[in-house]
Amino acid sequence: EAQVTQNPRYLITVTGKKLTVTCSQNMNHEYMSWYRQDPGLGLRQIYYSMNVEVTDKGDVPEGYKVSRKEKRNFPLILESPSPNQTSLYFCASSLIRGSNEQFFGPGTRLTVL
Amino acid sequence: GENVEQHPSTLSVQEGDSAVIKCTYSDSASNYFPWYKQELGKRPQLIIDIRSNVGEKKDQRIAVTLNKTAKHFSLHITETQPEDSAVYFCAAWVNNAGNMLTFGGGTRLMVKP
């Protein structure tokens, strides 16, 4: 089944404790991205990747890191999480770039205390 | 960068009525405009999209119109049903060096039976 998976789905952590949210797609998509969703603000892009080893900042990249060592995986890293990073995070992928249908993962609800 | 504004933020209609959601964008170079539907607790899913070389696109009860001169596009849902209740997001993509998809703030549509 073609899909985008994320893990974990729920995470409660404390300020400053490094964490990684994994994202994987099995559709051989070149374009992958991370979004955060906050009430009233819609979906804001954090980082995106056009292909392996090619990543770029989105609208709200501060406090986040990403890597794209393999085509299927695009982990989101929070080196020192802070409470303002409490949010719902979605990973998404599309065939070649943002001008194609984005397939979203199930979401990761992160709470930073 | 691109800015997308979406109105209204909430919309309540009676079953069978029509619903219209409007978005405006700032970058005249934007050329791809998707609409996503997000049901409660679920991931966003593409319901319709339009490219800048087309003024209108229809898929059963859903239609999208685009006015490039005025830089706005709209989602029209006819004969609304309770299952149309969800949050709807518009987005715009610019074909330039930055391959970001910018989303509006979302519209919560409630269809009353």
Side-chain angles (χ1 to χ4, degrees), chain A residues 25-49:
Chain A
Q25 51 93 6
N26 63 0
M27 295 172 279
N28 202 35
H29 285 169
E30 291 186 357
Y31 186 94
M32 297 186 74
S33 59
W34 277 102
Y35 297 88
R36 60 177 290 172
Q37 183 175 17
D38 302 290
L41 297 176
L43 292 149
R44 293 180 293 166
Q45 198 165 31
I46 303 170
Y47 269 95
Y48 63 92
S49 170

Side-chain angles (χ1 to χ4, degrees), chain B:
Chain B
E2 174 70 282
N3 182 47
V4 178
E5 294 193 358
Q6 184 171 345
H7 299 280
S9 56
T10 60
L11 179 59
S12 182
V13 300
Q14 207 67 38
E15 182 178 358
D17 288 350
S18 295
V20 180
I21 303 170
K22 298 181 179 180
C23 288
T24 60
Y25 60 97
S26 60
D27 194 330
S28 56
S30 292
N31 60 5
Y32 174 66
F33 307 92
W35 285 88
Y36 286 82
K37 175 184 180 182
Q38 185 179 28
E39 296 176 355
L40 191 62
K42 301 280 184 67
R43 70 194 78 186
Q45 290 190 296
L46 181 74
I47 54 170
I48 196 166
D49 57 12
I50 192 168
R51 298 190 186 270
S52 59
N53 58 346
V54 176
E56 184 174 357
K57 185 176 178 180
K58 192 172 181 181
D59 183 4
Q60 300 183 349
R61 296 186 297 109
I62 295 172
V64 57
T65 59
L66 171 65
N67 183 328
K68 286 190 293 182
T69 303
K71 289 190 284 187
H72 69 69
F73 57 112
S74 300
L75 178 71
H76 304 255
I77 306 174
T78 58
E79 300 171 21
T80 53
Q81 301 166 4
E83 52 266 38
D84 293 329
S85 296
V87 178
Y88 292 80
F89 293 99
C90 64
W93 183 82
V94 184
N95 185 20
N96 60 16
N99 283 280
M100 290 196 330
L101 190 61
T102 303
F103 283 82
T107 297
R108 182 172 298 280
L109 173 64
M110 293 169 284
V111 180
K112 294 178 286 186

